Amino acid sequence: MKSFLHRPLRFLLVGLTLVVLLFACQTAPKADSPSTPAAAESSPQATPISASGSGLSSSPAQLPKLPYAYNALEPFIDARTMKLHHDKHHATYVKNLNTALKEFPDLQQKSIEAILTSLDSVPEQIRTKVRNNAGGHLNHTMFWQIMGPKKGGKPTGAIATAINQTFGSFDAFKQQFNQAGVDRFGSGWVWLVRNPQGQLQITTTSNQDNPITEGLSPIMGNDLWEHAYYLKYQNRRPEYLSNWWNVVNWAEVNRRYERSQTGG
C-alpha cells in the first residue's frame, strides 16, 4: 500500500524534472556555429581611384575585386590558379606596397601611376620595394579587367583597325605577341603599348615593371610569371600564351586604347 501511494509522487517528481530540463534547453544560449567566410573575404572591395581623380589610389592601396568567379576562365585558366594568383600573389603586392609607403604620407597622396613614373623621387631605401610592388599591383589590376568569361575572338572597333594597320592582320599580331612572350627570359610581361608617337608596338618588361616607366601607354598585357600558368601548363608557356586569347576582353582593351589616345 505504501509503495502504491508513493508511485504518483514519483511520477510527479519525474514530470517536474523533465519540464525543468526542457525549459533550460530552450532558454540556454546557443553555441556559436563555425564561421563561414564572408563573400568580401574572397571578393575584396574594388580599388578606388586616387584623390586626384585618376589612377589607382595608394592611400592605401586595396586589392580589387575579381570581376568574375575563380572558375570563370576555365578550361583555359583553372580556378586554383586564379585563386592563388589573385588572393595570394596580388594581395601580397598590395600588402608590401602599403608597408613600404606607411611612413611616407606624401607618396600616399599620389596615384600608383604617378609614383611609378617618378621613381627617382621615391626614397632610395624603399625604391626597389615600391617599384616591384606598385608595378605588381598596377599590372594585375589591369590583367583581371582585360580578361573575362566567354570572351576571346577577334577584336572590333578602333583597336582592331589599329592592329590591322600596324601588324597587317590580327593573326600576324598574335604570332608576334606570342613569340615575344616566349622569347622573354624569366619572369615578366608581354605588352601591346602605344608609344609617344601614337603607334602601337609590342614590348616586354621584366619582373613587375610596367611600360609607363618607359613613357609608353599599356593597352594590354599578358603575365609571364610562372604563377600565372604553371599549375595547368607546367613549362609549356607557348601553350598558355596561345590559349590566353580565348579569354581576352576586347571591349576593355578597346576602351584602354581609346583612353590612351586622349592621354588617359
Side-chain angles (χ1 to χ4, degrees):
M1 177 66 68
K2 186 181 294 185
S3 175
F4 177 78
L5 291 175
H6 287 174
R7 187 176 302 169
L9 182 59
R10 288 201 300 270
F11 288 161
L12 179 60
L13 291 174
V14 170
L16 288 173
T17 301
L18 291 175
V19 170
V20 171
L21 289 175
L22 179 61
F23 179 79
C25 291
Q26 291 177 338
T27 58
K30 294 182 179 180
D32 292 336
S33 58
S35 59
T36 301
E41 292 177 353
S42 59
S43 300
Q45 295 298 308
T47 301
I49 60 176
S50 67
S52 63
S54 63
L56 290 180
S57 174
S58 59
S59 58
Q62 296 180 30
L63 182 67
K65 179 180 179 179
L66 194 67
Y68 33 75
Y70 296 121
N71 64 351
L73 305 185
E74 290 185 341
F76 310 108
I77 302 178
D78 59 289
R80 186 182 177 200
T81 293
M82 287 299 298
K83 184 173 179 61
L84 289 170
H85 200 168
H86 177 271
D87 293 8
K88 301 300 181 182
H89 290 281
H90 191 174
T92 298
Y93 297 131
V94 171
K95 179 181 178 181
N96 289 342
L97 176 61
N98 287 330
T99 299
L101 298 180
K102 187 176 181 180
E103 304 300 327
F104 299 91
D106 56 325
L107 291 177
Q108 295 177 36
Q109 300 305 310
K110 296 183 177 182
S111 69
I112 300 298
E113 293 88 339
I115 292 174
L116 287 172
T117 53
S118 57
L119 282 170
D120 288 344
S121 65
V122 176
E124 187 174 357
Q125 67 267 31
I126 64 167
R127 189 176 301 160
T128 298
K129 190 172 184 179
V130 168
R131 176 179 179 174
N132 291 338
N133 291 285
H137 180 36
L138 181 61
N139 294 352
H140 285 87
T141 299
M142 173 214 67
F143 193 54
W144 313 132
Q145 295 171 350
I146 65 169
M147 298 189 296
K150 299 180 181 179
K151 300 297 182 180
K154 292 185 176 182
T156 58
I159 187 62
T161 300
I163 286 175
N164 290 331
Q165 290 176 346
T166 304
F167 302 97
S169 69
F170 177 56
D171 288 337
F173 161 66
K174 283 202 305 183
Q175 191 279 328
Q176 293 180 45
F177 191 93
N178 287 353
Q179 191 60 51
V182 170
D183 292 343
R184 181 76 217 186
F185 182 78
S187 300
W189 290 72
V190 56
W191 303 91
L192 175 66
V193 301
R194 187 174 183 271
N195 64 26
Q197 292 73 43
Q199 304 164 328
L200 292 183
Q201 67 181 70
I202 295 169
T203 188
T204 63
T205 58
S206 62
N207 301 317
Q208 291 295 349
D209 287 348
N210 187 287
I212 63 172
T213 61
E214 302 172 7
L216 303 170
S217 299
I219 307 301
M220 62 183 290
N222 194 1
D223 193 345
L224 303 178
W225 283 66
E226 288 184 341
H227 64 236
Y229 64 87
Y230 203 83
L231 291 179
K232 180 176 179 65
Y233 296 97
Q234 286 81 53
N235 63 326
R236 304 188 304 276
R237 182 189 283 185
E239 183 180 347
Y240 158 70
L241 288 166
S242 178
N243 283 341
W244 182 72
W245 297 102
N246 291 287
V247 300
V248 173
N249 181 357
W250 285 112
E252 175 63 19
V253 173
N254 195 59
R255 187 188 70 82
R256 293 178 63 85
Y257 173 66
E258 291 179 339
R259 191 176 65 181
S260 74
Q261 294 179 303
T262 60

